[in-house]
PDB file of all heavy atoms in Angstrom:
ATOM      1  N   VAL A 246      47.713 108.560 206.612  1.00 97.00           N
ATOM      2  CA  VAL A 246      47.913 109.738 207.472  1.00 97.00           C
ATOM      3  C   VAL A 246      49.211 109.615 208.264  1.00 97.00           C
ATOM      4  O   VAL A 246      49.980 110.579 208.383  1.00 97.00           O
ATOM      5  CB  VAL A 246      46.700 109.923 208.407  1.00 97.00           C
ATOM      6  CG1 VAL A 246      46.984 110.958 209.480  1.00 97.00           C
ATOM      7  CG2 VAL A 246      45.468 110.309 207.600  1.00 97.00           C
ATOM      8  N   SER A 247      49.481 108.432 208.796  1.00 97.00           N
ATOM      9  CA  SER A 247      50.686 108.277 209.619  1.00 97.00           C
ATOM     10  C   SER A 247      51.964 108.299 208.783  1.00 97.00           C
ATOM     11  O   SER A 247      53.003 108.779 209.254  1.00 97.00           O
ATOM     12  CB  SER A 247      50.603 106.998 210.446  1.00 97.00           C
ATOM     13  OG  SER A 247      50.518 105.879 209.599  1.00 97.00           O
ATOM     14  N   ILE A 248      51.914 107.810 207.554  1.00 96.00           N
ATOM     15  CA  ILE A 248      53.095 107.917 206.687  1.00 96.00           C
ATOM     16  C   ILE A 248      53.364 109.379 206.347  1.00 96.00           C
ATOM     17  O   ILE A 248      54.513 109.829 206.347  1.00 96.00           O
ATOM     18  CB  ILE A 248      52.935 107.053 205.422  1.00 96.00           C
ATOM     19  CG1 ILE A 248      53.073 105.579 205.788  1.00 96.00           C
ATOM     20  CG2 ILE A 248      53.952 107.427 204.352  1.00 96.00           C
ATOM     21  CD1 ILE A 248      52.810 104.621 204.652  1.00 96.00           C
ATOM     22  N   ALA A 249      52.300 110.138 206.084  1.00 97.00           N
ATOM     23  CA  ALA A 249      52.468 111.570 205.829  1.00 97.00           C
ATOM     24  C   ALA A 249      53.043 112.272 207.057  1.00 97.00           C
ATOM     25  O   ALA A 249      53.940 113.126 206.939  1.00 97.00           O
ATOM     26  CB  ALA A 249      51.135 112.192 205.427  1.00 97.00           C
ATOM     27  N   ALA A 250      52.562 111.905 208.245  1.00 96.00           N
ATOM     28  CA  ALA A 250      53.091 112.501 209.475  1.00 96.00           C
ATOM     29  C   ALA A 250      54.549 112.103 209.704  1.00 96.00           C
ATOM     30  O   ALA A 250      55.364 112.921 210.153  1.00 96.00           O
ATOM     31  CB  ALA A 250      52.234 112.083 210.665  1.00 96.00           C
ATOM     32  N   THR A 251      54.899 110.878 209.384  1.00 96.00           N
ATOM     33  CA  THR A 251      56.289 110.424 209.531  1.00 96.00           C
ATOM     34  C   THR A 251      57.211 111.190 208.591  1.00 96.00           C
ATOM     35  O   THR A 251      58.320 111.599 208.982  1.00 96.00           O
ATOM     36  CB  THR A 251      56.381 108.909 209.258  1.00 96.00           C
ATOM     37  OG1 THR A 251      55.527 108.225 210.177  1.00 96.00           O
ATOM     38  CG2 THR A 251      57.797 108.414 209.419  1.00 96.00           C
ATOM     39  N   ILE A 252      56.770 111.397 207.365  1.00 96.00           N
ATOM     40  CA  ILE A 252      57.574 112.165 206.407  1.00 96.00           C
ATOM     41  C   ILE A 252      57.731 113.608 206.891  1.00 96.00           C
ATOM     42  O   ILE A 252      58.830 114.178 206.830  1.00 96.00           O
ATOM     43  CB  ILE A 252      56.945 112.105 205.004  1.00 96.00           C
ATOM     44  CG1 ILE A 252      57.070 110.683 204.448  1.00 96.00           C
ATOM     45  CG2 ILE A 252      57.596 113.107 204.059  1.00 96.00           C
ATOM     46  CD1 ILE A 252      56.288 110.445 203.179  1.00 96.00           C
ATOM     47  N   TYR A 253      56.654 114.184 207.404  1.00 95.00           N
ATOM     48  CA  TYR A 253      56.728 115.549 207.931  1.00 95.00           C
ATOM     49  C   TYR A 253      57.717 115.622 209.092  1.00 95.00           C
ATOM     50  O   TYR A 253      58.526 116.551 209.174  1.00 95.00           O
ATOM     51  CB  TYR A 253      55.342 116.018 208.393  1.00 95.00           C
ATOM     52  CG  TYR A 253      55.351 117.375 209.031  1.00 95.00           C
ATOM     53  CD1 TYR A 253      55.368 118.525 208.251  1.00 95.00           C
ATOM     54  CD2 TYR A 253      55.378 117.515 210.415  1.00 95.00           C
ATOM     55  CE1 TYR A 253      55.398 119.772 208.835  1.00 95.00           C
ATOM     56  CE2 TYR A 253      55.414 118.761 211.008  1.00 95.00           C
ATOM     57  CZ  TYR A 253      55.414 119.892 210.217  1.00 95.00           C
ATOM     58  OH  TYR A 253      55.452 121.128 210.793  1.00 95.00           O
ATOM     59  N   CYS A 254      57.647 114.655 209.996  1.00 94.00           N
ATOM     60  CA  CYS A 254      58.552 114.644 211.147  1.00 94.00           C
ATOM     61  C   CYS A 254      60.008 114.442 210.717  1.00 94.00           C
ATOM     62  O   CYS A 254      60.924 114.981 211.345  1.00 94.00           O
ATOM     63  CB  CYS A 254      58.146 113.552 212.135  1.00 94.00           C
ATOM     64  SG  CYS A 254      56.585 113.876 212.958  1.00 94.00           S
ATOM     65  N   ALA A 255      60.229 113.680 209.662  1.00 93.00           N
ATOM     66  CA  ALA A 255      61.594 113.454 209.189  1.00 93.00           C
ATOM     67  C   ALA A 255      62.174 114.707 208.538  1.00 93.00           C
ATOM     68  O   ALA A 255      63.380 114.958 208.624  1.00 93.00           O
ATOM     69  CB  ALA A 255      61.611 112.300 208.193  1.00 93.00           C
ATOM     70  N   LEU A 256      61.321 115.507 207.901  1.00 95.00           N
ATOM     71  CA  LEU A 256      61.796 116.715 207.222  1.00 95.00           C
ATOM     72  C   LEU A 256      61.986 117.892 208.167  1.00 95.00           C
ATOM     73  O   LEU A 256      62.776 118.782 207.885  1.00 95.00           O
ATOM     74  CB  LEU A 256      60.822 117.102 206.103  1.00 95.00           C
ATOM     75  CG  LEU A 256      60.724 116.099 204.943  1.00 95.00           C
ATOM     76  CD1 LEU A 256      59.668 116.552 203.945  1.00 95.00           C
ATOM     77  CD2 LEU A 256      62.064 115.937 204.261  1.00 95.00           C
ATOM     78  N   HIS A 257      61.265 117.905 209.266  1.00 93.00           N
ATOM     79  CA  HIS A 257      61.356 119.011 210.216  1.00 93.00           C
ATOM     80  C   HIS A 257      61.996 118.501 211.504  1.00 93.00           C
ATOM     81  O   HIS A 257      61.367 117.765 212.277  1.00 93.00           O
ATOM     82  CB  HIS A 257      59.975 119.593 210.504  1.00 93.00           C
ATOM     83  CG  HIS A 257      59.364 120.229 209.298  1.00 93.00           C
ATOM     84  ND1 HIS A 257      58.768 119.494 208.300  1.00 93.00           N
ATOM     85  CD2 HIS A 257      59.280 121.526 208.928  1.00 93.00           C
ATOM     86  CE1 HIS A 257      58.323 120.308 207.359  1.00 93.00           C
ATOM     87  NE2 HIS A 257      58.625 121.558 207.712  1.00 93.00           N
ATOM     88  N   ILE A 258      63.215 118.910 211.733  1.00 88.00           N
ATOM     89  CA  ILE A 258      63.998 118.416 212.865  1.00 88.00           C
ATOM     90  C   ILE A 258      63.421 118.875 214.202  1.00 88.00           C
ATOM     91  O   ILE A 258      63.510 118.167 215.201  1.00 88.00           O
ATOM     92  CB  ILE A 258      65.471 118.894 212.739  1.00 88.00           C
ATOM     93  CG1 ILE A 258      66.058 118.465 211.405  1.00 88.00           C
ATOM     94  CG2 ILE A 258      66.323 118.404 213.896  1.00 88.00           C
ATOM     95  CD1 ILE A 258      66.228 116.986 211.232  1.00 88.00           C
ATOM     96  N   GLU A 259      62.795 120.055 214.234  1.00 93.00           N
ATOM     97  CA  GLU A 259      62.334 120.618 215.504  1.00 93.00           C
ATOM     98  C   GLU A 259      61.064 119.961 216.054  1.00 93.00           C
ATOM     99  O   GLU A 259      60.579 120.330 217.118  1.00 93.00           O
ATOM    100  CB  GLU A 259      62.086 122.128 215.350  1.00 93.00           C
ATOM    101  CG  GLU A 259      60.949 122.510 214.411  1.00 93.00           C
ATOM    102  CD  GLU A 259      61.346 122.568 212.951  1.00 93.00           C
ATOM    103  OE1 GLU A 259      62.515 122.375 212.609  1.00 93.00           O
ATOM    104  OE2 GLU A 259      60.438 122.806 212.142  1.00 93.00           O
ATOM    105  N   VAL A 260      60.552 118.949 215.404  1.00 92.00           N
ATOM    106  CA  VAL A 260      59.337 118.257 215.861  1.00 92.00           C
ATOM    107  C   VAL A 260      59.670 117.448 217.109  1.00 92.00           C
ATOM    108  O   VAL A 260      60.759 116.887 217.250  1.00 92.00           O
ATOM    109  CB  VAL A 260      58.789 117.340 214.744  1.00 92.00           C
ATOM    110  CG1 VAL A 260      57.634 116.498 215.237  1.00 92.00           C
ATOM    111  CG2 VAL A 260      58.365 118.167 213.556  1.00 92.00           C
ATOM    112  N   ASN A 261      58.711 117.376 218.009  1.00 93.00           N
ATOM    113  CA  ASN A 261      58.864 116.622 219.250  1.00 93.00           C
ATOM    114  C   ASN A 261      59.163 115.148 218.939  1.00 93.00           C
ATOM    115  O   ASN A 261      58.555 114.549 218.049  1.00 93.00           O
ATOM    116  CB  ASN A 261      57.550 116.739 220.046  1.00 93.00           C
ATOM    117  CG  ASN A 261      57.657 116.136 221.426  1.00 93.00           C
ATOM    118  OD1 ASN A 261      58.681 115.581 221.809  1.00 93.00           O
ATOM    119  ND2 ASN A 261      56.582 116.252 222.181  1.00 93.00           N
TER     120      ASN A 261
END
Side-chain angles (χ1 to χ4, degrees):
V246 169
S247 61
I248 287 175
T251 301
I252 291 170
Y253 176 80
C254 292
L256 295 177
H257 295 79
I258 304 293
E259 66 276 357
V260 174
N261 187 357

